Amino acid sequence: MKIGVFDSGAGGLSVVKSLLEHQLFDEIIYYGDTARVPYGTKDKNTIIRYSLEALEFFNNFDIDLLITACNTVSAYALKEMREVSRYDIIGVIEPGIMALENKLQDKNSSILITATRATIASRRYQNELQAKGYRDITAIQTGLFVPIVEEGIFDGAILEEVMKHYFKNLDKPSAIILGCTHFPLISKAISSYFDNKPLLIHSGEAIVEYLEQKYGVTQKESKNNLKIFASDNVEGLRFIAKEWLNTSSS
Ligand code: DGL
């Protein structure tokens, strides 16, 4: 099976990492729209337009399935993308909610949602969690993490300061939804900020669980073949991929 993975930039590589670890697919075509990242500061119509344009990129490949490894796109553009696509398109929000529910049954648990401004404004996570009966939900936009990750910074003083800025008034939550695929690249730092106590929900692991449960996808013998493309600075993206995935790609 050949699949496409799409994100606004480098963040979706966190999803690719999980897919590679579980060896679910023969071939992965990754496309990061690095010329236009971040999407999370844009309005709904722009996010939909960019997402539909990204779909055109995948016309060059005969993919069987597309994973939108971007919460912002998943929050706004899935319907429009599905309307014009001949293959299935999976977002990351539904899998994230499913992963949380599988792991955290106590509906009084405190849940912190961290995501881009657009994803928080869409209220997708908040509404779905409320509908499932969770009562203690805090949602904050933490968009500055996106350029930090795009810059290849995964720890250190700059990140510490930004975490302080966003998290200083918060109690330690039971769970944190990393509602942006850039954030798993700094999940060690986020977890350690909260003394490694909260359960972290990560779009990559969530999607693996989802693919196994809903699509019956299972581990393959063969090694996955990964090809990385970007709308700008493809070398920069391949560098992050090398650092982060510990694997070579073309
Ligand atoms: N990685 C994207 C997400 O999951 C967003 C980053 C951005 O483009 O703002 O929401």
Side-chain angles (χ1 to χ4, degrees):
M1 205 174 176
K2 189 199 259 191
I3 65 151
V5 177
F6 159 53
D7 180 44
S8 56
L13 292 171
S14 66
V15 171
V16 168
K17 187 177 172 86
S18 303
L19 297 174
L20 291 176
E21 277 165 6
H22 291 262
Q23 285 179 239
L24 296 185
F25 301 105
D26 305 310
E27 196 171 350
I28 300 174
I29 309 290
Y30 184 89
Y31 177 62
D33 192 5
T34 45
R36 306 194 282 197
V37 67
Y39 281 18
T41 53
K42 311 285 191 304
D43 287 343
K44 178 180 174 187
N45 288 343
T46 307
I47 296 166
I48 293 174
R49 178 162 57 87
Y50 285 180
S51 304
L52 291 175
E53 286 170 13
L55 263 191
E56 286 171 25
F57 166 83
F58 287 100
N59 288 342
N60 299 315
F61 304 90
D62 198 17
I63 59 170
D64 303 299
L65 173 74
L66 178 69
I67 295 176
T68 49
C70 178
N71 287 266
T72 308
V73 172
S74 304
Y76 288 99
L78 279 189
K79 186 169 126 307
E80 287 77 2
M81 291 169 83
R82 283 174 178 151
E83 276 166 9
V84 296
S85 151
R86 50 170 184 77
Y87 41 77
D88 232 356
I89 302 183
I90 308 179
V92 281
I93 295 183
E94 197 189 332
I97 301 279
M98 190 186 94
L100 179 88
E101 241 198 327
N102 286 346
K103 295 190 179 71
L104 198 68
Q105 276 87 31
D106 180 359
K107 303 284 159 121
N108 291 316
S109 309
S110 52
I111 300 166
L112 173 64
I113 306 162
T114 56
T116 62
R117 182 181 63 72
T119 302
I120 297 294
S122 78
R123 293 198 52 85
R124 280 287 311 279
Y125 275 109
Q126 297 94 308
N127 292 345
E128 301 215 6
L129 288 171
Q130 270 163 6
K132 303 258 178 217
Y134 291 97
R135 287 178 277 271
D136 187 352
I137 302 166
T138 305
I140 55 168
Q141 74 82 14
T142 55
L144 270 180
F145 290 153
V146 175
I148 288 179
V149 166
E150 289 286 323
E151 199 60 30
I153 297 174
F154 305 139
D155 52 29
I158 293 173
L159 181 56
E160 289 300 324
E161 277 307 311
V162 176
M163 285 195 296
K164 250 187 250 162
H165 170 74
Y166 286 134
F167 299 149
K168 64 176 178 298
N169 296 322
L170 298 176
D171 291 333
K172 211 172 286 165
S174 313
I176 303 176
I177 295 186
L178 301 175
C180 170
T181 52
H182 281 69
F183 301 171
L185 285 89
I186 51 168
S187 63
K188 266 202 190 126
I190 294 177
S191 183
S192 131
Y193 184 94
F194 290 105
D195 301 327
N196 299 313
K197 291 282 193 300
L199 165 73
L200 295 194
I201 299 295
H202 170 319
S203 297
E205 284 152 24
I207 207 134
V208 167
E209 236 173 280
Y210 185 87
L211 287 164
E212 287 171 348
Q213 281 185 31
K214 303 254 173 179
Y215 281 71
V217 176
T218 50
Q219 186 153 358
K220 298 251 171 324
E221 290 302 309
S222 57
K223 268 227 158 281
N224 310 108
N225 175 7
L226 170 66
K227 289 199 174 74
I228 292 182
F229 298 88
S231 48
D232 190 42
N233 188 16
V234 67
E235 281 321 312
L237 191 62
R238 288 198 183 123
F239 175 78
I240 296 182
K242 203 159 155 249
E243 290 274 292
W244 175 247
L245 302 175
N246 228 341
T247 182
S248 61
S249 58
S250 54

